[in-house]
Amino acid sequence: MTTMDLSQYTVFITTNLPYILLGLTALIFVALIVFININIKMSRLNRRYKKMMSGMDGVNIERLLVHHVGEVRQAVDKVNQLEGEYRRLDTIASASIQYLGVVRFNAFEDTGSDLSFALALLDGKKNGVVLSSIYGRSESRVYAKPVVGGESTYYLTDEEKGALKKALEKSS
């Protein structure tokens, strides 16, 4: 740079000094506002951080997280244990009698009341048995007919069909 160039700069600065000072003052004022805003946000963040780090009952956040992770692991283990128990009970329940239908009837005209009956007992897969009891004055007889998938390969009487239908309606 030559002396002439520096003198031009000096003249420019001296002639525009009030405007330059005004611009710098405005920049300092904006910087001050930004600084105050950042300081307020940092103060809030610092309070939240201290509160979080103190945890509950003075325990710091690391201990609190380790404790909660342990509790979560115990809960997951318990859920897995309960799921196994659920599967076991579901298997037992599906093989247990869940649906039944009963039809009472009078097998013979010379006996009073509806002392004969047909009873359908079905599990969750609609497998089971239809029991029939025929009551007479001098004797009683009981018949059992297997049911697979809601149907029997044996001939069913109207009363047995009615009992099976009632049991199947309850399974729907």
Side-chain angles (χ1 to χ4, degrees):
M1 287 197 189
T2 63
T3 350
M4 199 182 269
D5 290 334
L6 283 176
S7 66
Q8 287 177 344
Y9 287 125
T10 308
V11 170
F12 176 77
I13 290 173
T14 54
T15 56
N16 296 316
L17 188 61
Y19 301 113
I20 293 172
L21 288 176
L22 185 63
L24 288 175
T25 305
L27 277 174
I28 291 172
F29 184 69
V30 168
L32 181 65
I33 290 173
V34 169
F35 175 75
I36 291 172
N37 190 20
I38 289 173
N39 205 4
I40 290 171
K41 287 181 181 179
M42 281 297 291
S43 176
R44 287 181 190 157
L45 189 61
N46 198 13
R47 272 187 266 135
R48 288 175 59 196
Y49 176 76
K50 285 181 181 178
K51 185 176 180 182
M52 185 175 67
M53 289 307 286
S54 67
M56 295 170 22
D57 298 330
V59 177
N60 71 16
I61 193 73
E62 182 181 1
R63 288 185 197 155
L64 190 64
L65 285 174
V66 168
H67 177 71
H68 284 303
V69 166
E71 286 179 343
V72 168
R73 285 186 181 141
Q74 287 176 349
V76 168
D77 291 343
K78 188 69 172 175
V79 166
N80 290 337
Q81 178 186 1
L82 290 173
E83 183 179 8
E85 186 66 15
Y86 162 76
R87 290 182 195 279
R88 186 183 74 78
L89 291 174
D90 189 46
T91 303
I92 292 170
S94 67
S96 301
I97 295 173
Q98 295 184 15
Y99 311 107
L100 63 95
V102 178
V103 173
R104 292 179 56 106
F105 60 95
N106 188 358
F108 304 106
E109 291 181 14
D110 64 338
T111 58
S113 297
D114 294 337
L115 298 177
S116 299
F117 65 88
L119 172 66
L121 303 169
L122 304 177
D123 66 8
K125 297 177 183 174
K126 300 179 184 174
N127 299 330
V129 66
V130 175
L131 296 173
S132 296
S133 172
I134 308 295
Y135 176 79
R137 287 189 187 263
S138 60
E139 64 181 324
S140 272
R141 295 184 183 225
V142 177
Y143 301 95
K145 298 175 184 174
V147 176
V148 176
E151 296 183 11
S152 179
T153 56
Y154 289 80
Y155 171 77
L156 297 178
T157 66
D158 290 340
E159 292 83 5
E160 291 168 333
K161 288 178 186 175
L164 184 58
K165 182 179 176 188
K166 283 184 179 182
L168 290 172
E169 286 172 354
K170 292 178 183 175
S171 71
S172 301

